[in-house]
Amino acid sequence: MNVKLKAGRKLVLVLAVLLLAPGFARAGDPAKQTARIPPAWLRDGVIYEIFPRDFSAAGNLNGVTVKLDQLKNLGVTVLWIMPIHPIGEKCRKGDFGSPYSIRDYYAVDPNYGTVDDFKNLVAGAHQRGLKVIMDLVANHTAWDSVLMTNKDFYKQDAAGNIIPPVPEWTDVAGLNYANPRLREYMIAMMNYWIQTCDVDGFRCDVASAVPTDFWEQARAELEKNKPDIMMLAEASKPELLTNAFDIDYSWPLLATLNDVLQRGAPASKLQATWEENLRQFPTNSLHMRISDDHDEARAVSRFGVHGALAASVLMFSLDGVPLLYNGMEVGDATESGDPALFDKLPIFWHPKERPPLREIYHSLIQLRKQYPAFRNNRVIWLRNSDAANVVTLMRLDANDEFVAVINFSDRPVSGQVEVMNSGDFQPVQISGLSRPPAGDFPIFHLGAFEWRIYHRTVPH
């Protein structure tokens, strides 16, 4: 046989073996992989994002610590603290500057307090059974960062000038992860906060812009100090969930939510987006379900108060981990996102003409906490007679079945849900809301942005 032909056949055989081997798809097709298993406290949790500058009148870490009992009573379990480090002054945007423009990763912004203040916050949270994750800005620093003495830590243009990670981010300079010394520095810094303050994990800013192999390297090192560490990727990038991260952002669903509630897209697009995400990501991927955060105009501003609540009900009803942001539980409409991020705009804790949102969110959190059916990954989208306006889905396990019916339109709707054993379902009473009528399911009559949750105990 021709030597070249034999070599070619051998190569084909080797490739075939590799393609069939477990894990080979990791680099090329994360959808064929299985996501890493997150800590149970994350999968079962509810995340609350805190911007310390705006969270309290004091605008510091102690202002968060004194409100820990309120957060505990609300029912949230994971506190995500936005960056606490000193903010750069060179090329600063706004009067206060972006908290994502870091001068010194090892320090605390003097306006926020001290490292000891942060230790006390974390310790106080732990005493109440709450977890605390730090916001890690690994993609860039301020222009006057202490790291600027190491020019080779930074991305540079052809002339050797340090450059921003993207041109419009003029207040920050991009870090260069081709440099092994930078990687060592960043991992050591993350371990410092684990060892010094006992943080439970990191929310990693712009995670998709940092090489995946760095995150995998960091994860392996951090787990030596904190085996059940949690890492949240600010990204929607499937490969990040195979080895590096436990959870990411459900950005595609948020974009569709904006399309539905702001631009009149049919509510059925929400199911289509969820299903497309399922196809693209590793099996059992965990996503943070968001309708509001520091990068968006407030949900009550985008959707109206009742539209924002309907959006939240969807996020609490779906698989994944729901997020509440900085005063969301009272319907705060204070300006958010860029450029408001660069100034001080405290939460208004007593806005006018709001439904009892704190009670409603507490009730939704307790429902999730009481019933494991809301914390697994089983979601069944149910057909209904008005799919352009109404979303109907089931969450279930061996003991319980729940059906959420949500009207995403600004007008009353009527229709019917297609579901087995419909006569066994009873409406769930949500604190702060009037008692829903009994006996109408699977028929629904909902006002603008109105929603209901129904429950059936599975007989054994």
Side-chain angles (χ1 to χ4, degrees):
M1 185 180 288
N2 181 284
V3 174
K4 288 185 179 179
L5 183 59
K6 288 175 68 176
R9 286 189 174 180
K10 185 175 182 181
L11 178 60
V12 168
L13 180 61
V14 170
L15 287 173
V17 171
L18 285 172
L19 285 168
L20 292 171
F24 180 80
R26 175 185 167 278
D29 189 0
K32 295 180 180 177
Q33 296 294 100
T34 298
R36 63 172 298 114
I37 300 173
W41 60 262
L42 169 61
R43 177 174 286 281
D44 294 345
V46 175
I47 301 173
Y48 190 100
E49 179 188 1
I50 297 173
F51 191 176
R53 180 193 295 168
D54 296 342
F55 186 72
S56 69
N60 58 22
L61 295 173
N62 289 336
V64 177
T65 303
V66 298
K67 288 180 176 286
L68 287 175
D69 284 332
Q70 289 182 25
L71 293 165
K72 170 71 173 178
N73 292 338
L74 178 62
V76 298
T77 60
V78 182
L79 307 183
W80 152 20
I81 312 297
M82 285 172 61
I84 64 172
H85 310 297
I87 295 171
E89 296 181 8
K90 186 177 180 181
C91 302
R92 173 179 285 189
K93 291 182 178 181
D95 291 337
F96 286 79
S98 169
Y100 293 91
S101 175
I102 310 296
R103 284 186 76 177
D104 185 352
Y105 289 109
Y106 279 91
V108 170
D109 185 338
N111 294 307
Y112 278 2
T114 65
V115 172
D116 282 340
D117 291 333
F118 187 56
K119 279 185 190 176
N120 291 337
L121 192 166
V122 176
H126 287 170
Q127 288 166 10
R128 293 163 174 82
L130 307 175
K131 302 288 188 177
V132 178
I133 62 173
M134 292 183 73
D135 210 325
L136 174 69
V137 188
N139 182 59
H140 48 262
T141 74
W143 288 99
D144 47 1
S145 165
V146 297
L147 293 183
M148 280 287 172
T149 55
N150 301 280
K151 187 177 178 181
D152 58 344
F153 278 13
Y154 289 88
K155 293 179 178 178
Q156 301 172 33
D157 63 17
N161 301 307
I162 296 175
I163 57 174
V166 293
E168 57 268 30
W169 295 4
T170 56
D171 60 336
V172 290
L175 288 170
N176 171 29
Y177 280 85
N179 187 328
R181 291 196 305 117
L182 172 66
R183 292 178 174 231
E184 293 170 4
Y185 179 94
M186 297 300 284
I187 292 170
M189 177 270 296
M190 294 165 76
N191 268 321
Y192 166 82
W193 290 105
I194 292 173
Q195 294 167 336
T196 305
C197 296
D198 198 24
V199 297
D200 300 290
F202 298 93
R203 176 267 184 190
C204 300
D205 188 62
V206 203
S208 58
V210 175
T212 300
D213 67 345
F214 166 72
W215 293 124
E216 293 175 344
Q217 177 187 356
R219 176 87 196 213
E221 291 299 317
L222 299 177
E223 284 183 341
K224 294 176 183 177
N225 285 317
K226 177 86 69 167
D228 69 338
I229 192 171
M230 172 272 223
M231 292 184 70
L232 162 61
E234 190 206 12
S236 182
K237 187 177 182 180
E239 70 180 56
L240 292 175
L241 295 183
T242 57
N243 291 294
F245 288 92
D246 301 287
I247 183 171
D248 70 355
Y249 277 54
S250 57
W251 271 334
L253 195 65
L254 174 60
T256 301
L257 194 63
N258 286 332
D259 284 344
V260 171
L261 285 169
Q262 292 183 286
R263 291 178 279 277
S268 56
K269 279 193 67 178
L270 292 161
Q271 177 182 349
T273 299
W274 183 90
E275 289 174 344
E276 179 60 26
N277 209 72
L278 195 66
R279 285 189 289 269
Q280 292 177 353
F281 274 78
T283 303
N284 296 331
S285 288
L286 192 64
H287 307 289
M288 185 172 70
R289 301 300 184 187
I290 56 175
S291 58
D292 204 352
D293 78 337
H294 71 267
D295 285 321
E296 302 282 331
R298 298 310 303 253
V300 294
S301 299
R302 280 178 287 134
F303 308 145
V305 174
H306 296 287
L309 184 55
S312 287
V313 172
L314 177 65
M315 297 309 162
F316 273 86
S317 298
L318 282 173
D319 56 328
V321 182
L323 171 76
L324 295 178
Y325 170 57
N326 222 48
M328 189 173 167
E329 70 275 24
V330 296
D332 177 48
T334 305
E335 200 65 45
S336 185
D338 179 355
L341 186 65
F342 312 137
D343 292 298
K344 183 174 175 63
L345 297 169
I347 293 170
F348 190 69
W349 287 103
H350 302 286
K352 189 178 180 181
E353 296 179 356
R354 299 285 194 267
L357 293 173
R358 190 187 294 273
E359 286 183 56
I360 295 168
Y361 279 120
H362 178 265
S363 192
L364 290 171
I365 291 170
Q366 293 307 310
L367 195 63
R368 174 181 165 82
K369 188 174 293 186
Q370 181 179 353
Y371 293 100
F374 282 103
R375 307 196 302 271
N376 63 29
N377 59 3
R378 297 184 66 189
V379 179
I380 298 175
W381 296 80
L382 302 173
R383 290 162 59 97
N384 71 73
S385 56
D386 190 2
N389 295 307
V390 178
V391 164
T392 46
L393 60 87
M394 178 183 285
R395 302 303 309 281
L396 69 160
D397 63 10
N399 299 310
D400 298 281
E401 294 177 353
F402 290 88
V403 174
V405 184
I406 309 169
N407 178 15
F408 279 98
S409 75
D410 59 0
R411 57 192 178 277
V413 295
S414 295
Q416 184 168 343
V417 187
E418 294 183 15
V419 60
M420 294 178 63
N421 304 303
S422 59
D424 296 342
F425 283 87
Q426 297 297 321
V428 175
Q429 176 63 51
I430 302 295
S431 298
L433 298 180
S434 57
R435 180 171 295 277
D440 61 340
F441 192 77
I443 304 296
F444 58 81
H445 302 283
L446 300 172
F449 302 118
E450 193 176 3
W451 50 274
R452 302 256 169 78
I453 298 173
Y454 297 88
H455 173 233
R456 167 181 178 262
T457 301
V458 178
H460 292 287

